[in-house]
Amino acid sequence: MSLPHRLAIIDVESTGAHPVRDRITEIAILRVEAGEVVARWESLVAPGQSIPPLIEQVTGITDAMVADAPPFEAVADTVAALLEGCVFVAHSARFDYAFIKNAFTRIGRTFEAPVLCTVKLSRALFPEHHRHGLDALIERHQLVCEARHRAMGDVEVLWQFVRQVEAGFPPEALARAAERAMKAPVLPPGLPEGVLEAVPDVPGLYLFHATEAPPANGRRDQPLFVGRAQSLRARVREHFAPNVRKGRDAELVARVKRVEWIETAGELDTSLQELELLRAFRPPYNRAQEPAEEAFALRLLANRRRPPIYDKVPIAGTDPADWAGLYGVFRNRREADNLLRELAMLYRLCPRRLGLEGGSGPCTAHATRRCAGVCAGRESIAEHDARLAGGLAGVGTRPWPWAGAVHVVEHQPASGRRRHHVFDRWCFLGSAADEASAATLAATAPRAFDVDIWRLFCRWLAVPAHLEQLAALSAREI
């Protein structure tokens, strides 16, 4: 026999995907010796915490079903006896192994075992295929599953797969594949077993923390870093790949002791939540955020003879419906000056009159004919400022293209998350779980301009396909 002599084929169902935070709800084990099943055992397990509705939908295990089940401590001796002396076999094995190891750790016991991952075994034996999840194996090898996402149902599938590959491959080839499937990954320093395997393959945000446990009060603590990804699993693993650790990235990885993640409904949901986290916690390994509260627009001062010829009008938190005679949207003085320099080049405006250059008399640009000469009496103030107003007219927020509020509907099938993001006159009014709640936001939430949200929403709207996700809500009085 080319596979190890003693195998314990195991599957764990749980309250969620995090092997430290979540708890086991069901365990099934087949103990196999010399190719024969010598023990078969399964049990529901009281997790000591509620089962989320989405997990209930997937597994069919409810809070009522585990209410009278034994806690892990009561079945720990049975589990240990079934696993003793065996190779721990599971699909995405480090995930199940982490739940079992952490469960023993919580009751003051240790657990160690060699691990064989059937995902890796399938990849080694069938490299021509790209999908090696359990559903893919069931379809490809015509395996029979009586109860998918129940522990014993999934264990029986793995046992069928093990018997098929033993019958279909020479012992030497199977032994080599098993060796590869049992190769332990290089664990990042400080991270608990199984965390990287638990990260889902869905869009969202990930947070790296320097502490092993979150605060006891249930609040979020400051992360070291907040990142975003279309595939959380792939992106998080990239951070911990040995060949990419250098400089500041290596310093970050060395400090990480906890990984959290937030599954999102789509690109806009990701951007909005990312902005909220960056502002709330200012993670030290993210680029510093400039305060949006200092955003301003320009109001030209008619017939002003000397600079400044405009006022900086604060617009953060204001309702754009109340704006009148304002030009541009600027986060800081640097952005405003850069735009004024660009307009000066395009329209032969005077940098001295624009407040970009000090002194008196003709400006430096007039000598090279880049200024029409308001500073040298060659044109009137009214002529100069009319060109300035014309140039400014094309910058800032464009007219709101809808009659009232709109909502963007995002849905992520993999996680089941659905969000309705409500906007009106470039202001974000909030997110809701359904259209009725979105309509309530549109009717009641105040408009408060935010330069960062305005910019990210404009970027999102620039993708034509995104417009299919957008729909109007009832208009309200301005």
Side-chain angles (χ1 to χ4, degrees):
M1 181 176 172
S2 51
L3 290 178
H5 181 74
R6 292 189 180 89
L7 305 175
I9 304 175
I10 183 170
D11 184 73
V12 167
E13 301 300 333
S14 61
T15 60
H18 201 289
V20 176
R21 182 180 60 231
D22 294 308
R23 298 292 186 267
I24 295 171
T25 59
E26 188 176 41
I27 307 172
I29 302 172
L30 291 183
R31 183 179 174 102
V32 178
E33 297 183 9
E36 298 293 332
V37 175
V38 298
R40 179 189 303 267
W41 177 85
E42 63 181 313
S43 178
L44 290 169
V45 178
Q49 58 183 237
S50 61
I51 302 173
L54 182 60
I55 300 297
E56 284 191 0
Q57 292 174 21
V58 172
T59 66
I61 301 173
T62 66
D63 287 329
M65 291 170 62
V66 298
D68 297 323
F72 181 80
E73 185 172 7
V75 300
D77 288 341
T78 301
V79 172
L82 289 166
L83 298 179
E84 185 177 5
C86 291
V87 172
F88 186 106
V89 181
H91 211 63
S92 295
R94 290 287 161 184
F95 175 84
D96 298 84
Y97 183 80
F99 269 94
I100 294 295
K101 184 178 179 67
N102 285 320
F104 276 112
T105 299
R106 279 190 289 271
I107 62 173
R109 296 172 61 170
T110 60
F111 173 75
E112 298 289 342
V115 177
L116 191 158
C117 177
T118 48
V119 173
K120 295 180 180 179
L121 184 64
S122 178
R123 287 174 179 158
L125 294 172
F126 304 98
E128 69 275 16
H129 296 293
H130 296 291
R131 296 170 56 240
H132 298 274
L134 201 54
D135 290 323
L137 266 59
I138 291 170
E139 179 183 353
R140 189 154 59 235
H141 301 286
Q142 288 81 56
L143 307 176
V144 178
C145 185
E146 298 293 339
R148 182 73 175 96
H149 295 299
R150 290 300 299 269
M152 186 54 79
D154 291 351
V155 163
E156 292 283 7
V157 168
L158 294 182
W159 174 226
Q160 294 172 52
F161 176 69
V162 167
R163 285 184 293 177
Q164 276 198 19
V165 298
E166 283 190 316
F169 286 87
E172 298 81 6
L174 191 54
R176 288 194 299 270
E179 184 179 0
R180 291 175 60 184
M182 292 180 67
K183 186 176 181 181
V186 178
L187 292 175
L191 280 185
E193 180 83 42
V195 167
L196 296 188
E197 287 74 17
V199 179
D201 187 18
V202 296
L205 300 164
Y206 58 94
L207 296 80
F208 291 159
H209 292 271
T211 57
E212 294 181 357
N217 57 15
R219 296 183 178 181
R220 291 192 182 278
D221 52 340
Q222 184 192 36
L224 294 168
F225 179 79
V226 173
R228 58 184 294 160
Q230 279 299 105
S231 169
L232 288 171
R233 179 180 298 165
R235 185 67 188 99
V236 169
R237 288 183 178 182
E238 282 180 15
H239 279 279
F240 296 99
N243 60 336
V244 298
R245 297 183 200 168
K246 56 184 178 180
R248 190 168 170 81
D249 290 337
E251 179 184 300
L252 170 62
V253 168
R255 294 186 62 186
V256 176
K257 290 183 171 57
R258 175 163 47 99
V259 178
E260 302 285 349
W261 55 86
I262 302 169
E263 298 180 22
T264 57
E267 182 180 337
L268 190 55
D269 192 26
T270 302
S271 296
L272 291 169
Q273 292 201 58
E274 178 187 34
L275 179 61
E276 182 180 0
L277 288 171
L278 293 177
R279 285 179 170 177
F281 295 107
R282 300 188 181 278
Y285 285 84
N286 284 95
R287 187 171 63 182
Q289 297 285 299
E290 291 193 65
E293 295 81 5
E294 297 179 7
F296 63 90
L298 301 180
R299 176 184 287 125
L300 297 183
L301 303 175
N303 301 315
R304 180 87 172 196
R305 297 192 61 81
R306 290 191 177 87
I309 61 171
Y310 51 79
D311 281 335
K312 294 196 303 181
V313 181
I315 56 174
T318 66
D319 186 345
D322 298 332
W323 296 357
L326 299 185
Y327 298 99
V329 174
F330 308 102
R331 183 195 293 277
N332 51 48
R333 177 61 185 267
R334 182 183 67 256
E335 289 185 357
D337 286 354
N338 286 342
L339 175 67
L340 292 173
R341 288 190 181 93
E342 182 178 343
L343 295 179
M345 293 289 292
L346 289 172
Y347 299 104
R348 298 184 69 204
L349 300 174
C350 178
R352 181 163 293 150
R353 180 156 180 78
L354 296 179
L356 302 173
E357 177 183 307
S360 60
C363 69
T364 54
H366 181 255
T368 56
R369 299 184 179 180
R370 290 182 287 111
C371 166
V374 67
C375 53
R378 297 294 181 89
E379 69 169 343
S380 69
I381 288 174
E383 290 173 321
H384 175 277
D385 290 0
R387 292 201 310 282
L388 172 60
L392 286 170
V395 300
T397 62
R398 59 189 176 93
W400 182 244
W402 297 280
V406 298
H407 64 137
V408 175
V409 184
E410 293 189 302
H411 177 235
Q412 177 51 243
S415 64
R417 182 179 174 88
R418 181 183 293 273
R419 301 299 285 167
H420 296 248
H421 310 294
V422 184
F423 293 85
D424 191 10
R425 289 183 172 254
W426 306 113
C427 299
F428 176 52
L429 305 187
S431 296
D434 52 55
E435 186 169 350
S437 300
T440 300
L441 282 174
T444 61
R447 290 185 288 250
F449 184 78
D450 185 306
V451 62
D452 292 323
I453 288 180
W454 167 64
R455 288 177 177 177
L456 74 83
F457 187 45
C458 287
R459 288 194 297 269
W460 187 89
L461 288 172
V463 179
H466 287 165
L467 295 177
E468 298 176 4
Q469 300 171 248
L470 188 146
L473 289 166
S474 300
R476 66 173 173 179
E477 294 296 325
I478 293 177

